Amino acid sequence: MKNKNNALSVFLRPIWSENPINIQMLGICSALAVTVQLKTALVMALSMTFVVSCSSFMISLLRKQIPKNIRIIVELSIISTFVILTDEFLRAYFYDISKQLSVFVGLIITNCIVMGRAESFALSNPPHLSFIDGVGNGFGYGSVLLAVAFIRELLGSGKCFGMQVVPDYFYSMGYENAGFMLLAPAAFIIIGLLVWLQKSLTKDRDLSR
Amino acid sequence: MTENLVGIFLNSVFTGNILLAYFLGMCSFVAVSKNINTAIGLGFAVIFVLSVTTPLNWLIYHYLLAPGALYWIGLPNVNLSFLKFIMFIAVIAAMVQAIEIIIDRFSAALYAGLGVFLPLIAVNCAILGTSLFMVERNHTFMESLIFGFGSGVGWMMAIISMAAIRIKLRYANPPYGMEGYALTMIVTGLMAMAFMLFSGISF
């Protein structure tokens, strides 16, 4: 925590040691729902990175002007503006993916990561650091999303980014896709196992709650 | 008509459970499910806020924002539906604030029970998610009322059962790194699996 204002550590911390999903338990809602395929997970991760970095930057620019009592509603309106931009962009250029993501792009507004970074970082740090912090959190979120999506798509439909990777003779030998991986419960269980993995790997630090 | 409403209610409580099937409201679910009493308090607050905001957002969407909704002031070609995110979240935040003030004014006992949870709810994804689903599924006004209430009941049921399970889990002895969050996620996965069995029932 000492070198808090070093840009590199601000960028790297949220990717591993303070990962928003695995360690801080933020933003799980959308992480679970969009991870059936790698494609939607990637789009979701990029939208999230865009929204969290831009809104942190804006909030940090305005941090001396925002009155303390109404800061939540000001933050929410800044965040919603960026979410609307993202949603309109996706609907204009990637209509199929935006249909699959359905309400989850809109739910970035209430994603705890965005609000959390605004409250705990952007309000007390200069704009360029807040932007880097936002990008780092977006990547930390995205890396977990892609990991979960990779496992679910590979085991659930034998594909990777929509291309078949499990060879045909596996199927002719009797191998079958685990349809369970495509259902809701699998997402919960995979995230649980990933958290367990990361906690075991960082044994030296006390992360237990 | 009534059968349809019953169907929507049962669907939003069981098969389409807002938490276990659509993953909404996970953040407060993980954070608050450590204690049964707080889980019950938050559950009631969520039911209350959902049953108020979902129909309210229906009115706002269908009379102000939807394509052609502004015909009643002579602007039939205006489509403001892209504003729905910012409008819905503003309505939710304002409603939560209003409810907090009203409860504080009229019932000190209720405020002591629910008051602390109300600010948490404004950023609960389940509330905004229900409003967005309501738009996506083209519900009518009555349906949106039932859908909001049913989603709240489903969410409350999930969080109370989770709190009950976590009390038992305190005596368990999981491997290192698995205690707490990781175990909660896995148990939630098993619960979601159990709830999927309801999908065999057709309404």
Side-chain angles (χ1 to χ4, degrees), chain A residues 80-139:
Chain A
S80 335
T81 313
F82 285 111
V83 171
I84 291 172
L85 283 178
T86 316
D87 187 53
E88 293 294 309
F89 176 81
L90 286 180
R91 273 201 286 173
Y93 295 103
F94 301 97
Y95 188 71
D96 294 338
I97 293 182
S98 95
K99 265 274 163 279
Q100 282 173 21
L101 287 172
S102 75
V103 302
F104 289 97
V105 173
L107 286 172
I108 294 179
I109 299 174
T110 49
N111 193 309
C112 330
I113 297 176
V114 190
M115 275 301 271
R117 290 335 284 172
E119 282 280 294
S120 68
F121 199 90
L123 281 179
S124 52
N125 283 287
H128 66 283
L129 279 182
S130 307
F131 185 79
I132 294 172
D133 176 71
V135 175
N137 273 285
F139 282 5

Tab-separated table of all heavy atoms in Angstrom, chain A residues 80-139:
chain	number	residue	atom	x	y	z
A	80	SER	N	-23.909	6.201	-16.032
A	80	SER	CA	-24.959	5.817	-16.989
A	80	SER	C	-24.705	6.413	-18.356
A	80	SER	O	-25.018	5.788	-19.371
A	80	SER	CB	-26.344	6.259	-16.535
A	80	SER	OG	-26.430	6.394	-15.181
A	81	THR	N	-24.138	7.641	-18.393
A	81	THR	CA	-23.852	8.248	-19.688
A	81	THR	C	-22.916	7.363	-20.498
A	81	THR	O	-23.166	7.081	-21.675
A	81	THR	CB	-23.205	9.625	-19.484
A	81	THR	OG1	-23.971	10.334	-18.522
A	81	THR	CG2	-23.152	10.383	-20.766
A	82	PHE	N	-21.854	6.876	-19.853
A	82	PHE	CA	-20.913	6.024	-20.587
A	82	PHE	C	-21.542	4.691	-20.949
A	82	PHE	O	-21.263	4.133	-22.015
A	82	PHE	CB	-19.630	5.829	-19.771
A	82	PHE	CG	-18.762	7.039	-19.787
A	82	PHE	CD1	-18.577	7.801	-18.653
A	82	PHE	CD2	-18.138	7.432	-20.950
A	82	PHE	CE1	-17.796	8.927	-18.680
A	82	PHE	CE2	-17.348	8.565	-20.989
A	82	PHE	CZ	-17.181	9.312	-19.840
A	83	VAL	N	-22.404	4.167	-20.068
A	83	VAL	CA	-23.060	2.893	-20.385
A	83	VAL	C	-23.981	3.056	-21.589
A	83	VAL	O	-24.024	2.193	-22.470
A	83	VAL	CB	-23.824	2.362	-19.164
A	83	VAL	CG1	-24.673	1.176	-19.540
A	83	VAL	CG2	-22.862	1.968	-18.078
A	84	ILE	N	-24.685	4.184	-21.653
A	84	ILE	CA	-25.572	4.418	-22.805
A	84	ILE	C	-24.752	4.495	-24.083
A	84	ILE	O	-25.105	3.897	-25.104
A	84	ILE	CB	-26.385	5.712	-22.595
A	84	ILE	CG1	-27.399	5.502	-21.471
A	84	ILE	CG2	-27.109	6.109	-23.868
A	84	ILE	CD1	-28.120	6.756	-21.057
A	85	LEU	N	-23.602	5.199	-24.027
A	85	LEU	CA	-22.720	5.260	-25.200
A	85	LEU	C	-22.322	3.863	-25.641
A	85	LEU	O	-22.407	3.514	-26.821
A	85	LEU	CB	-21.456	6.064	-24.870
A	85	LEU	CG	-21.577	7.572	-24.817
A	85	LEU	CD1	-20.235	8.173	-24.435
A	85	LEU	CD2	-21.998	8.088	-26.172
A	86	THR	N	-21.885	3.029	-24.671
A	86	THR	CA	-21.455	1.675	-25.004
A	86	THR	C	-22.589	0.886	-25.631
A	86	THR	O	-22.414	0.198	-26.639
A	86	THR	CB	-20.994	0.952	-23.727
A	86	THR	OG1	-20.196	1.835	-22.978
A	86	THR	CG2	-20.218	-0.287	-24.053
A	87	ASP	N	-23.774	0.982	-25.014
A	87	ASP	CA	-24.906	0.196	-25.487
A	87	ASP	C	-25.299	0.600	-26.899
A	87	ASP	O	-25.535	-0.256	-27.763
A	87	ASP	CB	-26.078	0.396	-24.519
A	87	ASP	CG	-27.229	-0.512	-24.842
A	87	ASP	OD1	-26.980	-1.732	-24.938
A	87	ASP	OD2	-28.346	-0.030	-25.005
A	88	GLU	N	-25.345	1.907	-27.164
A	88	GLU	CA	-25.702	2.369	-28.506
A	88	GLU	C	-24.658	1.920	-29.522
A	88	GLU	O	-24.996	1.501	-30.623
A	88	GLU	CB	-25.807	3.902	-28.527
A	88	GLU	CG	-26.955	4.440	-27.713
A	88	GLU	CD	-28.309	4.041	-28.278
A	88	GLU	OE1	-28.531	4.246	-29.474
A	88	GLU	OE2	-29.131	3.487	-27.519
A	89	PHE	N	-23.377	1.980	-29.122
A	89	PHE	CA	-22.307	1.546	-30.022
A	89	PHE	C	-22.457	0.068	-30.362
A	89	PHE	O	-22.402	-0.332	-31.527
A	89	PHE	CB	-20.950	1.815	-29.360
A	89	PHE	CG	-19.783	1.322	-30.158
A	89	PHE	CD1	-19.298	2.067	-31.219
A	89	PHE	CD2	-19.176	0.113	-29.856
A	89	PHE	CE1	-18.233	1.607	-31.960
A	89	PHE	CE2	-18.116	-0.346	-30.594
A	89	PHE	CZ	-17.643	0.410	-31.654
A	90	LEU	N	-22.693	-0.763	-29.323
A	90	LEU	CA	-22.814	-2.195	-29.570
A	90	LEU	C	-24.016	-2.491	-30.448
A	90	LEU	O	-23.953	-3.335	-31.342
A	90	LEU	CB	-22.962	-2.948	-28.246
A	90	LEU	CG	-21.705	-3.084	-27.397
A	90	LEU	CD1	-22.012	-3.853	-26.143
A	90	LEU	CD2	-20.616	-3.783	-28.182
A	91	ARG	N	-25.124	-1.759	-30.207
A	91	ARG	CA	-26.308	-2.054	-31.002
A	91	ARG	C	-26.141	-1.611	-32.443
A	91	ARG	O	-26.757	-2.162	-33.350
A	91	ARG	CB	-27.534	-1.397	-30.385
A	91	ARG	CG	-28.127	-2.322	-29.349
A	91	ARG	CD	-29.556	-1.970	-29.094
A	91	ARG	NE	-29.626	-0.748	-28.320
A	91	ARG	CZ	-30.778	-0.124	-28.064
A	91	ARG	NH1	-31.886	-0.591	-28.522
A	91	ARG	NH2	-30.767	0.961	-27.342
A	92	ALA	N	-25.275	-0.602	-32.659
A	92	ALA	CA	-25.075	-0.144	-34.025
A	92	ALA	C	-24.137	-1.068	-34.788
A	92	ALA	O	-24.367	-1.354	-35.962
A	92	ALA	CB	-24.520	1.275	-34.023
A	93	TYR	N	-23.079	-1.560	-34.140
A	93	TYR	CA	-22.055	-2.289	-34.891
A	93	TYR	C	-22.003	-3.780	-34.590
A	93	TYR	O	-21.491	-4.559	-35.371
A	93	TYR	CB	-20.677	-1.668	-34.638
A	93	TYR	CG	-20.577	-0.268	-35.173
A	93	TYR	CD1	-20.660	0.826	-34.329
A	93	TYR	CD2	-20.436	-0.050	-36.544
A	93	TYR	CE1	-20.599	2.115	-34.834
A	93	TYR	CE2	-20.379	1.226	-37.057
A	93	TYR	CZ	-20.452	2.308	-36.198
A	93	TYR	OH	-20.397	3.572	-36.697
A	94	PHE	N	-22.466	-4.209	-33.419
A	94	PHE	CA	-22.419	-5.639	-33.078
A	94	PHE	C	-23.799	-6.070	-32.587
A	94	PHE	O	-23.972	-6.420	-31.432
A	94	PHE	CB	-21.376	-5.915	-31.996
A	94	PHE	CG	-19.994	-5.509	-32.383
A	94	PHE	CD1	-19.468	-4.291	-31.984
A	94	PHE	CD2	-19.213	-6.345	-33.171
A	94	PHE	CE1	-18.201	-3.911	-32.346
A	94	PHE	CE2	-17.941	-5.965	-33.534
A	94	PHE	CZ	-17.425	-4.740	-33.127
A	95	TYR	N	-24.793	-6.011	-33.480
A	95	TYR	CA	-26.165	-6.187	-33.032
A	95	TYR	C	-26.396	-7.568	-32.423
A	95	TYR	O	-27.054	-7.694	-31.391
A	95	TYR	CB	-27.123	-5.978	-34.203
A	95	TYR	CG	-28.550	-5.956	-33.768
A	95	TYR	CD1	-29.052	-4.878	-33.050
A	95	TYR	CD2	-29.389	-7.032	-34.021
A	95	TYR	CE1	-30.352	-4.863	-32.615
A	95	TYR	CE2	-30.699	-7.021	-33.584
A	95	TYR	CZ	-31.171	-5.936	-32.881
A	95	TYR	OH	-32.456	-5.932	-32.427
A	96	ASP	N	-25.805	-8.630	-33.026
A	96	ASP	CA	-26.047	-9.988	-32.516
A	96	ASP	C	-25.538	-10.136	-31.096
A	96	ASP	O	-26.214	-10.678	-30.221
A	96	ASP	CB	-25.343	-11.017	-33.408
A	96	ASP	CG	-25.946	-11.043	-34.788
A	96	ASP	OD1	-27.106	-10.601	-34.904
A	96	ASP	OD2	-25.267	-11.481	-35.719
A	97	ILE	N	-24.303	-9.632	-30.865
A	97	ILE	CA	-23.729	-9.772	-29.534
A	97	ILE	C	-24.523	-8.955	-28.530
A	97	ILE	O	-24.775	-9.390	-27.413
A	97	ILE	CB	-22.251	-9.351	-29.549
A	97	ILE	CG1	-21.471	-10.349	-30.397
A	97	ILE	CG2	-21.681	-9.299	-28.149
A	97	ILE	CD1	-20.017	-10.074	-30.456
A	98	SER	N	-24.983	-7.780	-28.938
A	98	SER	CA	-25.728	-6.968	-27.978
A	98	SER	C	-27.059	-7.634	-27.642
A	98	SER	O	-27.562	-7.501	-26.527
A	98	SER	CB	-25.923	-5.553	-28.510
A	98	SER	OG	-27.145	-5.420	-29.153
A	99	LYS	N	-27.637	-8.387	-28.596
A	99	LYS	CA	-28.846	-9.155	-28.280
A	99	LYS	C	-28.533	-10.242	-27.249
A	99	LYS	O	-29.306	-10.497	-26.329
A	99	LYS	CB	-29.410	-9.817	-29.548
A	99	LYS	CG	-30.486	-8.986	-30.206
A	99	LYS	CD	-31.854	-9.295	-29.585
A	99	LYS	CE	-32.920	-8.271	-29.876
A	99	LYS	NZ	-32.932	-7.068	-29.081
A	100	GLN	N	-27.378	-10.910	-27.411
A	100	GLN	CA	-27.031	-11.974	-26.468
A	100	GLN	C	-26.736	-11.420	-25.081
A	100	GLN	O	-27.064	-12.031	-24.078
A	100	GLN	CB	-25.801	-12.745	-26.960
A	100	GLN	CG	-26.122	-13.722	-28.056
A	100	GLN	CD	-24.871	-14.326	-28.632
A	100	GLN	OE1	-23.819	-14.327	-28.005
A	100	GLN	NE2	-24.970	-14.840	-29.837
A	101	LEU	N	-26.085	-10.257	-25.043
A	101	LEU	CA	-25.759	-9.686	-23.732
A	101	LEU	C	-27.005	-9.143	-23.048
A	101	LEU	O	-26.994	-8.917	-21.842
A	101	LEU	CB	-24.743	-8.557	-23.893
A	101	LEU	CG	-23.323	-8.984	-24.217
A	101	LEU	CD1	-22.467	-7.776	-24.529
A	101	LEU	CD2	-22.711	-9.726	-23.050
A	102	SER	N	-28.054	-8.932	-23.806
A	102	SER	CA	-29.349	-8.389	-23.362
A	102	SER	C	-29.195	-7.317	-22.291
A	102	SER	O	-28.579	-6.288	-22.533
A	102	SER	CB	-30.308	-9.505	-22.950
A	102	SER	OG	-29.974	-10.043	-21.704
A	103	VAL	N	-29.695	-7.567	-21.097
A	103	VAL	CA	-29.724	-6.477	-20.114
A	103	VAL	C	-28.375	-6.261	-19.439
A	103	VAL	O	-28.225	-5.327	-18.666
A	103	VAL	CB	-30.779	-6.743	-19.038
A	103	VAL	CG1	-32.136	-6.905	-19.670
A	103	VAL	CG2	-30.443	-7.925	-18.188
A	104	PHE	N	-27.398	-7.122	-19.721
A	104	PHE	CA	-26.210	-7.065	-18.874
A	104	PHE	C	-25.298	-5.891	-19.169
A	104	PHE	O	-24.516	-5.492	-18.305
A	104	PHE	CB	-25.467	-8.400	-18.925
A	104	PHE	CG	-26.241	-9.455	-18.208
A	104	PHE	CD1	-27.064	-10.318	-18.890
A	104	PHE	CD2	-26.211	-9.525	-16.833
A	104	PHE	CE1	-27.825	-11.253	-18.218
A	104	PHE	CE2	-26.971	-10.453	-16.164
A	104	PHE	CZ	-27.776	-11.315	-16.847
A	105	VAL	N	-25.384	-5.318	-20.389
A	105	VAL	CA	-24.633	-4.085	-20.630
A	105	VAL	C	-25.211	-2.972	-19.754
A	105	VAL	O	-24.490	-2.235	-19.096
A	105	VAL	CB	-24.683	-3.705	-22.121
A	105	VAL	CG1	-24.055	-2.357	-22.341
A	105	VAL	CG2	-23.960	-4.736	-22.942
A	106	GLY	N	-26.537	-2.896	-19.700
A	106	GLY	CA	-27.168	-1.883	-18.862
A	106	GLY	C	-26.822	-2.060	-17.403
A	106	GLY	O	-26.698	-1.087	-16.654
A	107	LEU	N	-26.631	-3.301	-17.006
A	107	LEU	CA	-26.359	-3.555	-15.597
A	107	LEU	C	-24.946	-3.163	-15.187
A	107	LEU	O	-24.613	-3.253	-14.012
A	107	LEU	CB	-26.610	-5.022	-15.267
A	107	LEU	CG	-28.095	-5.363	-15.206
A	107	LEU	CD1	-28.294	-6.835	-15.082
A	107	LEU	CD2	-28.743	-4.661	-14.042
A	108	ILE	N	-24.106	-2.736	-16.144
A	108	ILE	CA	-22.788	-2.226	-15.746
A	108	ILE	C	-22.974	-1.037	-14.792
A	108	ILE	O	-22.157	-0.801	-13.918
A	108	ILE	CB	-21.969	-1.801	-16.989
A	108	ILE	CG1	-21.639	-3.021	-17.854
A	108	ILE	CG2	-20.666	-1.132	-16.588
A	108	ILE	CD1	-20.866	-2.679	-19.096
A	109	ILE	N	-24.106	-0.305	-14.960
A	109	ILE	CA	-24.357	0.852	-14.081
A	109	ILE	C	-24.318	0.442	-12.621
A	109	ILE	O	-23.693	1.100	-11.794
A	109	ILE	CB	-25.739	1.466	-14.385
A	109	ILE	CG1	-25.793	1.953	-15.824
A	109	ILE	CG2	-26.038	2.609	-13.440
A	109	ILE	CD1	-27.170	2.422	-16.214
A	110	THR	N	-25.020	-0.645	-12.314
A	110	THR	CA	-25.075	-1.042	-10.908
A	110	THR	C	-23.969	-2.021	-10.555
A	110	THR	O	-23.970	-2.577	-9.465
A	110	THR	CB	-26.415	-1.705	-10.577
A	110	THR	OG1	-26.668	-2.693	-11.560
A	110	THR	CG2	-27.516	-0.699	-10.545
A	111	ASN	N	-23.023	-2.229	-11.470
A	111	ASN	CA	-21.923	-3.123	-11.143
A	111	ASN	C	-21.081	-2.480	-10.041
A	111	ASN	O	-20.651	-1.340	-10.153
A	111	ASN	CB	-21.072	-3.334	-12.385
A	111	ASN	CG	-20.110	-4.466	-12.210
A	111	ASN	OD1	-19.393	-4.516	-11.229
A	111	ASN	ND2	-20.101	-5.372	-13.140
A	112	CYS	N	-20.855	-3.250	-8.984
A	112	CYS	CA	-20.186	-2.669	-7.824
A	112	CYS	C	-18.769	-2.201	-8.145
A	112	CYS	O	-18.245	-1.335	-7.457
A	112	CYS	CB	-20.118	-3.668	-6.691
A	112	CYS	SG	-21.461	-4.820	-6.656
A	113	ILE	N	-18.133	-2.768	-9.192
A	113	ILE	CA	-16.751	-2.372	-9.476
A	113	ILE	C	-16.703	-0.882	-9.833
A	113	ILE	O	-15.882	-0.133	-9.308
A	113	ILE	CB	-16.169	-3.186	-10.646
A	113	ILE	CG1	-16.117	-4.654	-10.289
A	113	ILE	CG2	-14.785	-2.697	-11.002
A	113	ILE	CD1	-15.653	-5.520	-11.421
A	114	VAL	N	-17.602	-0.458	-10.710
A	114	VAL	CA	-17.553	0.927	-11.178
A	114	VAL	C	-17.774	1.891	-10.011
A	114	VAL	O	-17.014	2.827	-9.798
A	114	VAL	CB	-18.607	1.153	-12.279
A	114	VAL	CG1	-18.395	2.490	-12.910
A	114	VAL	CG2	-18.528	0.076	-13.319
A	115	MET	N	-18.869	1.636	-9.257
A	115	MET	CA	-19.145	2.490	-8.108
A	115	MET	C	-18.022	2.428	-7.088
A	115	MET	O	-17.606	3.439	-6.517
A	115	MET	CB	-20.449	2.047	-7.425
A	115	MET	CG	-21.677	2.622	-8.029
A	115	MET	SD	-21.674	4.407	-8.009
A	115	MET	CE	-22.405	4.714	-6.435
A	116	GLY	N	-17.530	1.215	-6.866
A	116	GLY	CA	-16.477	1.035	-5.864
A	116	GLY	C	-15.229	1.814	-6.217
A	116	GLY	O	-14.641	2.487	-5.372
A	117	ARG	N	-14.804	1.753	-7.493
A	117	ARG	CA	-13.597	2.485	-7.889
A	117	ARG	C	-13.842	3.985	-7.795
A	117	ARG	O	-12.972	4.746	-7.398
A	117	ARG	CB	-13.173	2.133	-9.318
A	117	ARG	CG	-12.626	0.772	-9.527
A	117	ARG	CD	-12.029	0.149	-8.327
A	117	ARG	NE	-10.712	0.666	-7.985
A	117	ARG	CZ	-10.058	0.362	-6.878
A	117	ARG	NH1	-10.603	-0.450	-5.998
A	117	ARG	NH2	-8.875	0.862	-6.635
A	118	ALA	N	-15.067	4.418	-8.179
A	118	ALA	CA	-15.356	5.846	-8.102
A	118	ALA	C	-15.259	6.324	-6.657
A	118	ALA	O	-14.631	7.340	-6.364
A	118	ALA	CB	-16.762	6.115	-8.655
A	119	GLU	N	-15.876	5.564	-5.753
A	119	GLU	CA	-15.914	5.990	-4.360
A	119	GLU	C	-14.546	5.900	-3.706
A	119	GLU	O	-14.115	6.811	-3.001
A	119	GLU	CB	-16.878	5.092	-3.570
A	119	GLU	CG	-18.323	5.413	-3.781
A	119	GLU	CD	-18.744	6.602	-2.937
A	119	GLU	OE1	-18.744	6.465	-1.702
A	119	GLU	OE2	-19.057	7.656	-3.507
A	120	SER	N	-13.850	4.783	-3.930
A	120	SER	CA	-12.653	4.559	-3.122
A	120	SER	C	-11.385	5.061	-3.792
A	120	SER	O	-10.375	5.243	-3.137
A	120	SER	CB	-12.512	3.077	-2.791
A	120	SER	OG	-12.221	2.367	-3.953
A	121	PHE	N	-11.384	5.285	-5.104
A	121	PHE	CA	-10.149	5.729	-5.745
A	121	PHE	C	-10.290	7.080	-6.436
A	121	PHE	O	-9.565	8.018	-6.118
A	121	PHE	CB	-9.661	4.680	-6.753
A	121	PHE	CG	-8.208	4.824	-7.111
A	121	PHE	CD1	-7.234	4.165	-6.381
A	121	PHE	CD2	-7.817	5.646	-8.156
A	121	PHE	CE1	-5.900	4.314	-6.688
A	121	PHE	CE2	-6.484	5.794	-8.466
A	121	PHE	CZ	-5.527	5.125	-7.724
A	122	ALA	N	-11.269	7.205	-7.329
A	122	ALA	CA	-11.333	8.402	-8.172
A	122	ALA	C	-11.586	9.671	-7.356
A	122	ALA	O	-11.105	10.738	-7.720
A	122	ALA	CB	-12.417	8.237	-9.227
A	123	LEU	N	-12.314	9.547	-6.252
A	123	LEU	CA	-12.630	10.748	-5.479
A	123	LEU	C	-11.427	11.312	-4.747
A	123	LEU	O	-11.463	12.434	-4.275
A	123	LEU	CB	-13.748	10.454	-4.475
A	123	LEU	CG	-15.167	10.440	-5.037
A	123	LEU	CD1	-16.151	10.118	-3.948
A	123	LEU	CD2	-15.517	11.776	-5.669
A	124	SER	N	-10.355	10.523	-4.623
A	124	SER	CA	-9.226	11.024	-3.857
A	124	SER	C	-7.912	10.978	-4.630
A	124	SER	O	-6.856	11.107	-4.038
A	124	SER	CB	-9.091	10.220	-2.565
A	124	SER	OG	-9.071	8.860	-2.862
A	125	ASN	N	-7.962	10.754	-5.953
A	125	ASN	CA	-6.738	10.677	-6.728
A	125	ASN	C	-6.867	11.486	-8.018
A	125	ASN	O	-7.974	11.703	-8.507
A	125	ASN	CB	-6.420	9.218	-7.078
A	125	ASN	CG	-5.842	8.485	-5.891
A	125	ASN	OD1	-4.696	8.691	-5.505
A	125	ASN	ND2	-6.666	7.648	-5.285
A	126	PRO	N	-5.719	11.928	-8.571
A	126	PRO	CA	-5.757	12.729	-9.803
A	126	PRO	C	-6.237	11.917	-11.004
A	126	PRO	O	-6.178	10.683	-10.985
A	126	PRO	CB	-4.305	13.171	-9.981
A	126	PRO	CG	-3.508	12.251	-9.157
A	126	PRO	CD	-4.368	11.818	-8.027
A	127	PRO	N	-6.728	12.605	-12.062
A	127	PRO	CA	-7.378	11.934	-13.184
A	127	PRO	C	-6.554	10.858	-13.873
A	127	PRO	O	-7.079	9.781	-14.160
A	127	PRO	CB	-7.670	13.081	-14.156
A	127	PRO	CG	-7.722	14.283	-13.324
A	127	PRO	CD	-6.798	14.058	-12.177
A	128	HIS	N	-5.231	11.126	-14.126
A	128	HIS	CA	-4.494	10.125	-14.914
A	128	HIS	C	-4.358	8.814	-14.144
A	128	HIS	O	-4.493	7.738	-14.709
A	128	HIS	CB	-3.134	10.672	-15.345
A	128	HIS	CG	-2.182	10.929	-14.218
A	128	HIS	ND1	-2.295	12.038	-13.409
A	128	HIS	CD2	-1.138	10.219	-13.751
A	128	HIS	CE1	-1.334	12.001	-12.494
A	128	HIS	NE2	-0.625	10.902	-12.688
A	129	LEU	N	-4.152	8.905	-12.819
A	129	LEU	CA	-4.061	7.670	-12.030
A	129	LEU	C	-5.409	6.956	-11.992
A	129	LEU	O	-5.476	5.727	-12.061
A	129	LEU	CB	-3.607	7.983	-10.603
A	129	LEU	CG	-2.120	8.172	-10.406
A	129	LEU	CD1	-1.816	8.420	-8.950
A	129	LEU	CD2	-1.362	6.937	-10.889
A	130	SER	N	-6.490	7.715	-11.874
A	130	SER	CA	-7.815	7.100	-11.837
A	130	SER	C	-8.094	6.357	-13.129
A	130	SER	O	-8.688	5.282	-13.126
A	130	SER	CB	-8.888	8.154	-11.624
A	130	SER	OG	-8.583	8.921	-10.512
A	131	PHE	N	-7.646	6.960	-14.245
A	131	PHE	CA	-7.850	6.296	-15.531
A	131	PHE	C	-7.101	4.968	-15.565
A	131	PHE	O	-7.650	3.928	-15.932
A	131	PHE	CB	-7.361	7.222	-16.653
A	131	PHE	CG	-7.623	6.685	-18.024
A	131	PHE	CD1	-8.874	6.790	-18.593
A	131	PHE	CD2	-6.606	6.066	-18.733
A	131	PHE	CE1	-9.124	6.289	-19.858
A	131	PHE	CE2	-6.849	5.558	-19.999
A	131	PHE	CZ	-8.110	5.664	-20.558
A	132	ILE	N	-5.819	4.999	-15.124
A	132	ILE	CA	-5.020	3.769	-15.121
A	132	ILE	C	-5.637	2.735	-14.186
A	132	ILE	O	-5.735	1.554	-14.509
A	132	ILE	CB	-3.574	4.089	-14.695
A	132	ILE	CG1	-2.928	4.966	-15.758
A	132	ILE	CG2	-2.769	2.822	-14.509
A	132	ILE	CD1	-1.587	5.492	-15.360
A	133	ASP	N	-6.109	3.202	-13.040
A	133	ASP	CA	-6.757	2.306	-12.095
A	133	ASP	C	-7.986	1.658	-12.735
A	133	ASP	O	-8.225	0.460	-12.583
A	133	ASP	CB	-7.148	3.098	-10.853
A	133	ASP	CG	-7.911	2.280	-9.858
A	133	ASP	OD1	-7.286	1.410	-9.230
A	133	ASP	OD2	-9.124	2.483	-9.718
A	134	GLY	N	-8.751	2.466	-13.488
A	134	GLY	CA	-9.925	1.931	-14.165
A	134	GLY	C	-9.551	0.871	-15.179
A	134	GLY	O	-10.164	-0.200	-15.230
A	135	VAL	N	-8.512	1.139	-15.987
A	135	VAL	CA	-8.088	0.158	-16.984
A	135	VAL	C	-7.639	-1.128	-16.289
A	135	VAL	O	-7.994	-2.237	-16.696
A	135	VAL	CB	-6.956	0.727	-17.857
A	135	VAL	CG1	-6.441	-0.322	-18.813
A	135	VAL	CG2	-7.444	1.929	-18.627
A	136	GLY	N	-6.873	-0.976	-15.196
A	136	GLY	CA	-6.406	-2.155	-14.458
A	136	GLY	C	-7.560	-2.972	-13.941
A	136	GLY	O	-7.574	-4.204	-14.064
A	137	ASN	N	-8.563	-2.306	-13.378
A	137	ASN	CA	-9.715	-3.046	-12.867
A	137	ASN	C	-10.494	-3.709	-13.987
A	137	ASN	O	-10.985	-4.823	-13.818
A	137	ASN	CB	-10.628	-2.118	-12.075
A	137	ASN	CG	-10.212	-2.030	-10.638
A	137	ASN	OD1	-10.446	-2.949	-9.875
A	137	ASN	ND2	-9.558	-0.946	-10.279
A	138	GLY	N	-10.595	-3.007	-15.115
A	138	GLY	CA	-11.266	-3.620	-16.251
A	138	GLY	C	-10.552	-4.881	-16.701
A	138	GLY	O	-11.180	-5.900	-16.981
A	139	PHE	N	-9.211	-4.835	-16.718
A	139	PHE	CA	-8.443	-6.012	-17.141
A	139	PHE	C	-8.546	-7.129	-16.103
A	139	PHE	O	-8.643	-8.301	-16.453
A	139	PHE	CB	-6.973	-5.643	-17.385
A	139	PHE	CG	-6.743	-4.945	-18.696
A	139	PHE	CD1	-7.812	-4.604	-19.509
A	139	PHE	CD2	-5.460	-4.649	-19.118
A	139	PHE	CE1	-7.622	-3.969	-20.716
A	139	PHE	CE2	-5.245	-3.997	-20.335
A	139	PHE	CZ	-6.329	-3.662	-21.119
